[in-house]
Amino acid sequence: MKQSNEQSAGLFARANEVIPGGVNSPVRAFRAVGGTPPFISRGSGCRIEDEDGNQYLDFVGSWGPLILGHAHPEVMAEIHEAVDRGTTFGAPCRAEVELAERIVAAYPGIEQVRCVSSGTEAVMSAIRLARGATGRDLIVKFSGCYHGHADHLLVAAGSGLATFGEPSSAGVPGPFASLTRVLPLDDEEGLDAFFQEFGDQVAAVVIEPLPANNGLLIQRRQYLERLRELTRSHGALLVFDEVISGFRVARGGCAELYGITPDLATFGKVIGGGMPVGAFGGRRDVMQHLAPNGPVYQAGTLSGNPVAMAAGLATLEVLEREDGWRRLEDLGMALEEALAPVLDAAPFPVSLVRTGSIFWLSLQPGPPPRAAEAIDGAAADRYRALFSGLQGRGVNMAPSAYEVGFLSLAHRRSDIAAFATALAETLAEVE
Ligand code: PMP
C-alpha cells in the first residue's frame, strides 16, 4: 500500500516552477487521472520505486522500451563497458554497424537502416525520405495513430493529445497540416475512395500496423493488405511505424506477424534498450536517397551513439537467446487467463485486448474497438477510478485510459496473479 508521497509532491512543486507542467513529456503530469505523479528513483526487474520508497509492480516499462524489465544485468553491464570507453565520438563506431545488421537480418524487406535518437525523429526522417524519393508531398495517416510530435504528424494525433481532447497542436502551421490527410482505421471503402482521388499524389502512408496509442486497436489483416495493394499500385510508399511493435510483437515486428512487407519501417523503444534510440529503414534503392549518397538531408550529433547502441544490442541479444517473443506470448496468455474471471465479475464491461506482450483494458461493452471513433468517451472516467485503486495497491499502470500496458521478460506468473488480485479488489470498490 502507498505510504506517503511527500518527496514526490515536493519535487513536483519544484518542477512546476522550472519545467512547464512539471514534466518533460505531457502525459507524465497525470492530468488524465489526477493526483501527483510519483518521481521514480530506481527500477529492477518488473518493479520500480519512487522517491518516498513506495514500490510498484510496473506495467508501463518506460512506455515500451524495457522489454527485459528494468536494469537488466546484461544490458547494464554492456552500458557500463561502453561508457568506460567514452560516451560519444561523433564518428562511426562498431556497435552501430552491429545494430543495423541485426535490424536488417530481422525485419522483412529492410536492406539498410539509419539510426536516430527518438521515435519522433525516426518517423519524421522516414517521411522526408519518402517525399524526397517519390517527389510527392502528400502524407496519409490514420485517426488514432500516433507517430511522435513532428509538425506534419500532429494532425488529429492520439497518445497524450487524445487525452487532452485536442485534435492537433497549436504551433503547427495550417499549410503543413494540409499536406497530411487523416483517414479512419478499419475502413477499406474510405481507403479505396481516397486513393482513387488522391493516390497518385501520395508520397507515403504511415500507419501503426498495431495501433497502440489510442487503446490497442487491432487491425484486420485484410485491411492492412488492402493498404499494401493500394500504396503499391499508386506508387506511394507504405511506412510501418513499428516504434512500439518493432522487436516487441515478434522479431520482425508486425511485418512478420501479418506477413506484409512495407517500403519503410520506423523503430524506437525496444531497439534502444532504454536509451534514446530510433531508426528507420527500407529497401536499398529508397534509402540511397539519403545524404551523403542522395539529396535528402538527415543527420544527428548523437545518432548511433555507442552507449545507446550497446544497450540496444544487449537487449536484442537477450531476446533472441532466451526465445523472448515466445515467452512473452506465454506470459500474455497467462495474463488473459488470470484476468478472465476478474473481468467477468466487474461491475461494468471490461475486456482485455492483447497482442503478445502489449495489453489494454477496453472499458466498454461489445467487441474491442478497431478505430479511434469506436472508443466510448466514458471509458476515461471509469479508468480514473481503476488507475488510482491500482496505484494505491502498488500497481503502476499508464496514467491514461488510452495508453497500453507492457509485459516484460522480468514479469513472473506470481506478478500476474498479484495484478489480478489488485484489479479484483479495485473493481469491487469502484461500482
Ligand atoms: N511512433 C509511435 C508508434 C509511438 O508510439 C511513439 C511514442 N510513443 C513515437 C512514434 C514517438 O517516439 P518518441 O516518443 O521516442 O519520440
Side-chain angles (χ1 to χ4, degrees):
M1 277 293 184
K2 207 167 162 165
Q3 301 297 322
S4 141
N5 73 348
E6 203 180 309
Q7 292 294 325
S8 286
L11 283 166
F12 197 41
R14 279 170 57 193
N16 269 296
E17 290 300 315
V18 289
I19 303 173
V23 290
N24 280 314
S25 198
V27 75
R28 297 180 196 167
F30 274 38
R31 297 279 166 91
V33 291
T36 300
F39 279 58
I40 305 303
S41 56
R42 58 178 57 235
S44 174
C46 61
R47 294 199 155 62
I48 50 174
E49 187 176 312
D50 69 20
E51 291 279 348
D52 292 284
N54 301 302
Q55 295 197 349
Y56 306 86
L57 172 57
D58 183 32
F59 292 103
V60 178
S62 188
W63 306 89
L66 300 179
I67 197 164
L68 306 181
H70 295 268
H72 187 280
E74 207 164 314
V75 179
M76 293 299 107
E78 291 295 328
I79 289 175
H80 283 133
E81 220 218 291
V83 159
D84 286 345
R85 283 184 268 118
T87 53
T88 174
F89 311 110
C93 69
R94 177 182 294 271
E96 67 188 354
V97 185
E98 291 176 1
L99 189 68
E101 284 171 348
R102 267 190 192 266
I103 295 173
V104 167
Y107 197 90
I110 286 194
E111 292 174 324
Q112 294 200 318
V113 211
R114 180 158 283 171
C115 275
V116 292
S117 300
S118 71
T120 294
E121 229 187 309
V123 184
M124 182 186 84
S125 307
I127 296 293
R128 182 178 308 133
L129 172 60
R131 283 174 161 156
T134 58
R136 301 173 178 183
D137 288 339
L138 216 56
I139 297 298
V140 176
K141 77 177 283 287
F142 295 88
S143 168
C145 288
Y146 177 68
H147 304 289
H149 64 90
D151 281 345
H152 43 255
L153 292 163
L154 277 186
V155 186
S159 198
L161 285 176
T163 303
F164 292 137
E166 295 282 342
S168 60
S169 167
V172 174
F176 285 22
S178 71
L179 290 174
T180 303
R181 300 294 156 85
V182 183
L183 301 181
L185 288 163
D186 190 42
D187 172 10
E188 275 99 331
E189 279 176 23
L191 269 187
D192 286 349
F194 178 84
F195 267 87
Q196 200 159 20
E197 191 165 352
F198 301 105
D200 297 343
Q201 300 169 38
V202 176
V205 175
V206 58
I207 188 168
E208 288 179 83
L210 178 63
N213 276 290
N214 213 316
L216 187 62
L217 306 173
I218 300 174
Q219 298 301 295
R220 290 170 295 113
R221 181 194 305 273
Q222 302 92 294
Y223 177 70
L224 295 174
E225 278 170 351
R226 185 79 193 128
L227 191 55
R228 178 63 284 189
E229 282 164 24
L230 285 169
T231 43
R232 187 172 284 132
S233 63
H234 285 85
L237 299 182
L238 178 60
V239 183
F240 273 4
D241 182 351
E242 301 239 29
V243 165
I244 287 184
S245 51
F247 289 91
R248 176 167 280 278
V249 297
R251 184 171 175 263
C254 285
E256 177 185 324
L257 204 65
Y258 288 96
I260 298 174
T261 304
D263 299 295
L264 291 169
T266 57
F267 303 91
K269 305 203 189 243
V270 170
I271 63 157
M275 297 292 281
V277 179
F280 61 105
R283 289 197 319 268
R284 193 180 310 275
D285 63 302
V286 178
M287 296 299 284
Q288 286 298 316
H289 286 85
L290 282 176
N293 290 347
V296 178
Y297 192 69
Q298 188 281 329
T301 301
L302 293 175
S303 293
N305 173 269
V307 182
M309 297 290 104
L313 274 172
T315 299
L316 300 189
E317 169 63 27
V318 174
L319 275 170
E320 299 256 0
R321 196 183 63 223
E322 299 193 357
D323 204 3
W325 297 286
R326 193 195 50 74
R327 282 180 50 202
L328 287 166
E329 173 60 24
D330 289 350
L331 265 181
M333 277 164 60
L335 180 71
E336 262 174 34
E337 279 163 29
L339 293 198
V342 175
L343 302 184
D344 281 350
F348 47 76
V350 194
S351 53
L352 178 71
V353 186
R354 179 184 75 83
T355 295
S357 55
I358 308 176
F359 67 93
W360 178 56
L361 294 174
S362 167
L363 305 178
Q364 65 188 59
R370 286 197 297 256
E373 294 75 12
I375 298 185
D376 178 355
D381 293 332
R382 298 193 189 113
Y383 187 78
R384 209 166 293 136
L386 271 193
F387 173 83
S388 59
L390 286 169
Q391 204 201 27
R393 290 177 172 83
V395 175
N396 187 48
M397 298 282 282
S400 157
Y402 300 99
E403 303 286 354
V404 295
F406 294 100
L407 296 170
S408 74
L409 284 181
H411 287 95
R412 300 281 162 261
R413 278 166 196 258
S414 53
D415 301 311
I416 285 168
F419 177 37
T421 304
L423 187 59
E425 288 174 10
T426 301
L427 284 167
E429 237 172 45
V430 294
E431 295 295 323

